[in-house]
Amino acid sequence: MTCENYNCTDANSVEREQERRLSVKDLSKVNYDPDKSDKNVILEHDKDTDRHKTFKEYVRVYKEREGITGRFNIDTVSDRNATKVLSCFVMSGSRDLIATMTRTEQVYYFKSGLEFLKQEYPTFHLVDARIHYDEKGLPHMHASFLPICERENGDRVFNVSQCQKGRDYFKGFQERFYDFMRERYPEKCLERTDPEQEHRRKMSVKEYKENKDFEREIEQERQRLLAKNEKLKDIEQQMNEAYEEQERAQKHLREVERYCERMGLSIYQYEKQCFMAEKGFCDYPAPERHNPDRQQEHDIEKEPDRCP
């Protein structure tokens, strides 16, 4: 059983998605199939929410009608200063456990979880509880409450932190939930996946979106650096090829200089001989300037034939 608390701004979309009242245009934006939503099972639902266009309007009317006092800041966009007005719980089970149950047994299984929540939070007001069968994976229950706490003087206020007080609260919450369900289903031999795991606070919707945006930016930067790295590799290869070309040219130049020194020729005379040889007037055994990699077939020590 997991829990997440929302301010009024986020609660509107969360509750509408839970009740499948969102207008789905792009199916890639949701994790369920609207064509299968009629298979969902509504356990309990406050019909008063259907009379209001927004969740904010519903919460404000409920507060005034029930005489709820205390801090009530639902108009701010700051998650730090906003009052938490919706507590959402998600109950699931292992694949092996769900496989042992019929659909009717699954409904009673989740109803038991809802009963536990009502005992755990007797002052909370149930907004909606339903089983989702239209998502990929296993069926699970969503239960949303208005987190109303009753003070010692009898005042009722929105204060979820007072009801979930203490660093180790959720560890005890999971233990109580496990004991409750094990008593209800002794024949199932229920086990907790990891009793020693840390039950940290879940990210809010805003934090989750910011985290996803940050992950997206990191991935974009990673792709940019990979592309830049590939470009640097290409530049490095071009530089290596240019260096090798330069080495070949210098080697050829040294051969030409040795040849000119042995033959008593100047560079100008050598260039002239190469020109004449290229034109077919004479056959000079000198290294070919235009193709330094070509295997020389003539002995450079041999005296070249003079052109007439």
Side-chain angles (χ1 to χ4, degrees):
M1 181 87 75
T2 61
C3 173
E4 187 166 353
N5 302 306
Y6 299 95
N7 60 32
C8 200
T9 302
D10 297 331
N12 186 62
S13 57
V14 170
E15 187 62 25
R16 286 173 62 86
E17 182 175 5
Q18 178 177 319
E19 298 177 11
R20 299 303 192 237
R21 292 191 290 124
L22 287 174
S23 298
V24 181
K25 296 182 179 179
D26 186 359
L27 295 180
S28 64
K29 301 293 184 180
V30 298
N31 60 347
Y32 63 91
D33 186 353
D35 295 334
K36 299 180 180 179
S37 295
D38 57 342
K39 297 181 180 180
N40 295 340
V41 177
I42 301 175
L43 301 179
E44 292 189 38
H45 177 70
D46 184 358
K47 295 183 179 180
D48 193 39
T49 60
D50 303 331
R51 303 188 183 97
H52 304 282
K53 294 182 179 180
T54 63
F55 187 79
K56 180 183 291 188
E57 181 182 348
Y58 163 72
V59 172
R60 184 179 284 114
V61 171
Y62 182 88
K63 174 182 179 297
E64 295 176 355
R65 185 179 69 240
E66 298 296 326
I68 298 176
T69 60
R71 180 177 177 273
F72 189 68
N73 189 358
I74 63 173
D75 296 317
T76 180
V77 295
S78 172
D79 187 68
R80 180 183 295 272
N81 298 323
T83 303
K84 302 297 184 181
V85 295
L86 188 68
S87 290
C88 292
F89 299 85
V90 180
M91 175 185 170
S92 60
S94 68
R95 186 174 298 277
D96 293 338
L97 175 63
I98 298 299
T100 63
M101 301 179 181
T102 64
R103 182 181 174 90
T104 301
E105 290 173 336
Q106 291 172 8
V107 172
Y108 280 107
Y109 169 75
F110 290 118
K111 279 186 176 180
S112 298
L114 180 59
E115 184 179 344
F116 165 78
L117 289 174
K118 290 182 177 180
Q119 292 183 14
E120 183 78 8
Y121 302 102
T123 60
F124 280 23
H125 174 68
L126 180 62
V127 179
D128 184 84
R130 65 184 63 205
I131 307 170
H132 283 170
Y133 283 95
D134 57 354
E135 298 182 25
K136 294 181 179 179
L138 299 173
H140 52 275
M141 179 189 72
H142 289 263
S144 55
F145 296 81
L146 298 182
I148 300 171
C149 175
E150 188 170 328
R151 293 176 174 172
E152 295 181 357
N153 60 3
D155 290 345
R156 301 169 67 215
V157 297
F158 281 93
N159 194 332
V160 68
S161 60
Q162 187 64 33
C163 298
Q164 299 175 349
K165 193 173 183 179
R167 179 179 179 180
D168 297 328
Y169 167 79
F170 278 107
K171 183 176 182 180
F173 172 89
Q174 298 295 347
E175 292 174 352
R176 292 189 295 274
F177 173 58
Y178 169 63
D179 292 338
F180 181 90
M181 297 302 293
R182 187 174 58 175
E183 183 178 350
R184 287 296 180 92
Y185 292 90
E187 75 283 359
K188 296 294 185 181
C189 298
L190 300 181
E191 294 181 1
R192 289 185 60 185
T193 303
D194 185 4
E196 301 302 324
Q197 69 175 322
E198 294 184 10
H199 297 280
R200 300 178 179 177
R201 180 184 69 87
K202 292 181 63 179
M203 291 187 294
S204 65
V205 173
K206 181 179 180 181
E207 291 171 333
Y208 177 80
K209 291 180 179 179
E210 290 176 349
N211 186 60
K212 285 296 181 182
D213 290 341
F214 184 63
E215 290 179 356
R216 192 179 301 108
E217 291 176 2
I218 291 178
E219 178 61 22
Q220 291 174 352
E221 182 66 14
R222 189 180 74 87
Q223 294 296 336
R224 187 187 70 82
L225 291 176
L226 287 175
K228 189 173 182 179
N229 186 52
E230 291 297 322
K231 185 178 292 185
L232 289 175
K233 287 182 179 179
D234 292 340
I235 294 175
E236 182 181 6
Q237 182 177 356
Q238 293 174 9
M239 292 181 65
N240 290 335
E241 292 175 354
Y243 176 77
E244 293 174 357
E245 180 68 23
Q246 182 184 12
E247 286 291 318
R248 289 194 295 268
Q250 290 179 349
K251 179 180 178 181
H252 176 66
L253 180 60
R254 288 193 296 269
E255 292 176 356
V256 171
E257 290 176 345
R258 286 196 298 268
Y259 172 79
C260 290
E261 183 178 354
R262 290 169 184 168
M263 304 305 299
L265 299 174
S266 66
I267 295 295
Y268 172 76
Q269 291 173 326
Y270 168 78
E271 294 282 347
K272 183 177 179 181
Q273 289 182 6
C274 287
F275 174 79
M276 299 294 288
E278 290 173 358
K279 294 297 184 180
F281 299 134
C282 302
D283 183 16
Y284 289 94
E288 297 183 21
R289 177 184 52 188
H290 60 282
N291 189 6
D293 294 329
R294 179 176 177 181
Q295 183 66 31
Q296 299 180 28
E297 299 176 354
H298 303 284
D299 183 6
I300 62 175
E301 298 291 343
K302 183 179 178 182
E303 180 71 22
D305 296 333
R306 298 296 181 179
C307 292

